[in-house]
Amino acid sequence: MLRYISADYLIPVNSSPIRNGIIVVDNKGEIVNIFSEEQGVPKDTRIEKHEGIIVPGFINCHCHLELSHLHGKIPKKTGLIEFLKLVVRGPKYDPDLISAEITKADDAMYQSGIVAVADIANTIHTRERKLTSKIYYHTFSEVFGFEPEIAKEVFRRGIELCEAFSPLSSSITPHAPYSVSKELFRFIRVLEDKKNHLLTIHNQECEEENRFFRYKTGGFLDFYAFLNKNIDFFKAQARNSLRSVLPLLPQSQRILLVHNTYTSFKDINFVERYKKDVTWCLCPNANLYIEDRLPKVDLFLKSRLPIVLGTDSLASNDKLCILSEIKTLLQYFPDLPFEKSIEWATLNGAKYLGIDSMYGSLEIGKKPGLNLLTKTEGLNLTEESTLVKLN
């Protein structure tokens, strides 16, 4: 049975908005037609009419689902290094609690209109839920290891975790510049260049990261002392973290740089000149939660490289909701076009994940999910706007 669904506007993303458009979906959620007006719709057809804007299902390009049990456990605005200390040396939690919170968070993301997630994993905890979830997941098996001598063993464990998520889509990935040695980057590069997998890395989430790479000073010296690790082998790079590690990343696959809170105009130009397949990922609510600072979005708007959105984890966010991320961006950056933010939240993420044949835009033959944004004003959100999942 076909459903004919109409709203004040449809935003297909790959084409201009359609005022009073009508979208037709079958019982499996596949789009079978799109009308710009009622003319052409079969006579006596029942049309579901809604006030608001219909957009495709959202793509969450950065999440740590396995940390959902830490919701509300870590104070806000501690700064990244204190946040890391609290995560690394926090109490152990019951596996049943972890599993239950993963299920709850997955359900909440689905109800908030998220249809696909790029998720970070350091454990196997999320596999069982992902196998039955209504959401599409790509899992990044994340590796840490700043000491050169442990690179081989860390890489081996990362591969094992990646394989443990089979048959789900997965790939091995480095955590961050300050936590991965050049030796470990080399192992990743050899594997990734052969298999052309996706890669993601936390980038410039705090200014201490840049200070550490430029001068080998600042808070990360205290952090490694806290972990009782000797980093005498590390030498100041005389350049910030992004410029230090981008040359170490594989040439052939899609790279997602996440957070970018302290990324500068010069950094953006450096990435563009390097001619790698890079996408910027912004997680505004997590940035405010941890560092109380947002990236310079106006600079990224001028970049030729695509931008996507993520939520980070419930350890660093109040909820896993892409609409909430969009609202935050529009609040702090009023010059950001609303339609552009929807592109970041949908099609760009689907292209990064390689699933844009099914997700990301309202096109015949796709099953992207349908989100109704309510309490809107024309083609704009309001503070009261909410989301209703239509499909």
Side-chain angles (χ1 to χ4, degrees):
M1 182 175 178
L2 300 180
R3 293 174 64 194
Y4 290 73
I5 307 170
S6 174
D8 298 329
Y9 287 94
L10 305 182
I11 298 184
V13 184
N14 67 319
S15 59
S16 300
I18 305 171
R19 184 174 175 83
N20 297 319
I22 300 167
I23 191 163
V24 187
V25 296
D26 65 17
N27 58 4
K28 294 182 179 179
E30 181 176 327
I31 298 173
V32 298
N33 214 334
I34 298 175
F35 296 96
S36 59
E37 54 185 16
E38 288 193 28
Q39 186 177 358
V41 175
K43 192 176 180 181
D44 299 325
T45 297
R46 178 181 175 273
I47 301 175
E48 301 175 32
K49 295 191 175 183
H50 300 278
E51 294 181 354
I53 303 169
I54 292 177
V55 301
F58 292 141
I59 313 294
N60 182 355
C61 276
H62 185 69
C63 187
H64 297 253
L65 184 62
E66 67 187 11
L67 299 182
S68 298
H69 61 286
L70 295 179
H71 189 201
K73 300 290 194 301
I74 297 180
K76 296 181 179 181
K77 303 178 183 180
T78 62
L80 179 66
I81 292 175
E82 288 304 313
F83 175 86
L84 292 173
K85 289 179 180 179
L86 290 167
V87 172
V88 170
R89 292 291 172 86
K92 300 296 182 184
Y93 290 87
D94 182 78
D96 290 339
L97 170 66
I98 293 173
S99 178
E101 293 302 316
I102 286 169
T103 297
K104 187 190 301 184
D106 175 72
D107 284 338
M109 279 199 284
Y110 181 74
Q111 292 304 321
S112 72
I114 292 171
V115 295
V117 178
D119 188 58
I120 305 293
N122 300 114
T123 69
I124 200 66
H125 291 316
T126 59
R127 181 179 185 273
E128 183 177 354
R129 180 59 183 180
K130 288 172 179 174
L131 284 170
T132 59
S133 177
K134 296 176 182 178
I135 294 173
Y136 171 89
Y137 281 94
H138 178 86
T139 300
F140 289 104
S141 171
E142 186 178 66
V143 292
F144 299 76
F146 199 54
E147 306 98 311
E149 65 272 16
I150 66 171
K152 187 174 182 178
E153 175 60 21
V154 168
F155 180 72
R156 183 190 63 77
R157 292 200 302 266
I159 291 294
E160 288 178 353
L161 179 60
C162 194
E163 292 173 346
F165 273 95
S166 179
L168 297 165
S169 176
S170 65
S171 56
I172 192 168
T173 206
H175 168 251
Y178 56 81
S179 61
V180 176
S181 66
K182 288 183 179 180
E183 289 74 13
L184 185 49
F185 273 119
R186 290 191 190 105
F187 278 116
I188 294 169
R189 181 164 184 160
V190 169
L191 175 72
E192 298 291 331
D193 276 347
K194 288 181 179 178
K195 295 198 173 182
N196 197 34
H197 282 162
L198 300 174
L199 184 143
T200 186
I201 185 169
H202 298 78
N203 176 60
Q204 295 172 306
E205 197 172 351
C206 69
E207 184 55 32
E208 293 298 318
E209 180 179 316
N210 284 329
R211 189 172 292 118
F212 180 60
F213 272 81
R214 286 193 201 109
Y215 315 115
K216 196 181 176 182
T217 60
F220 275 105
L221 296 183
D222 295 332
F223 178 66
Y224 281 107
F226 169 80
L227 296 177
N228 197 29
K229 293 184 181 293
N230 185 336
I231 59 167
D232 287 347
F233 63 87
F234 179 74
K235 307 301 180 185
Q237 304 295 296
R239 57 189 181 273
N240 67 21
S241 61
L242 179 56
R243 299 184 205 190
S244 299
V245 303
L246 188 64
L248 303 176
L249 299 179
Q251 187 67 38
S252 62
Q253 74 266 42
R254 295 188 293 278
I255 297 168
L256 191 68
L257 299 178
V258 181
H259 291 302
N260 315 298
T261 320
Y262 290 83
T263 302
S264 68
F265 177 72
K266 290 183 178 180
D267 292 327
I268 294 172
N269 282 345
F270 175 82
V271 174
E272 292 188 343
R273 291 197 309 272
Y274 220 82
K275 299 189 183 305
K276 291 193 177 186
D277 189 352
V278 170
T279 296
W280 304 105
C281 181
L282 307 180
C283 306
N285 287 333
N287 300 151
L288 292 172
Y289 191 109
I290 297 174
E291 285 278 326
D292 196 23
R293 177 187 169 111
L294 291 172
K296 296 177 180 178
V297 173
D298 53 332
L299 298 182
F300 290 96
L301 275 168
K302 299 172 184 176
S303 172
R304 65 172 179 81
L305 300 176
I307 299 169
V308 298
L309 301 181
T311 61
D312 213 347
S313 74
L314 284 175
S316 58
N317 207 332
D318 294 320
K319 52 187 173 181
L320 306 180
C321 173
I322 292 295
L323 177 59
S324 178
E325 305 296 330
I326 293 172
K327 282 186 169 185
T328 296
L329 286 173
L330 294 174
Q331 175 189 347
Y332 284 89
F333 303 97
D335 290 337
L336 171 62
F338 168 65
E339 291 173 52
K340 179 63 68 175
S341 73
I342 295 299
E343 180 185 347
W344 294 357
T346 56
L347 187 56
N348 286 2
K351 287 180 176 179
Y352 168 72
L353 287 171
I355 56 173
D356 50 306
S357 64
M358 188 64 65
Y359 299 95
S361 59
L362 304 181
E363 297 182 67
I364 294 172
K366 288 190 175 186
K367 298 179 183 178
L370 301 180
N371 291 338
L372 174 69
L373 307 180
T374 69
K375 299 178 182 177
T376 55
E377 291 182 355
L379 269 173
N380 290 290
L381 296 180
T382 66
E383 291 182 6
E384 292 75 34
S385 292
T386 58
L387 183 146
V388 177
K389 187 173 177 62
L390 297 178
N391 175 267

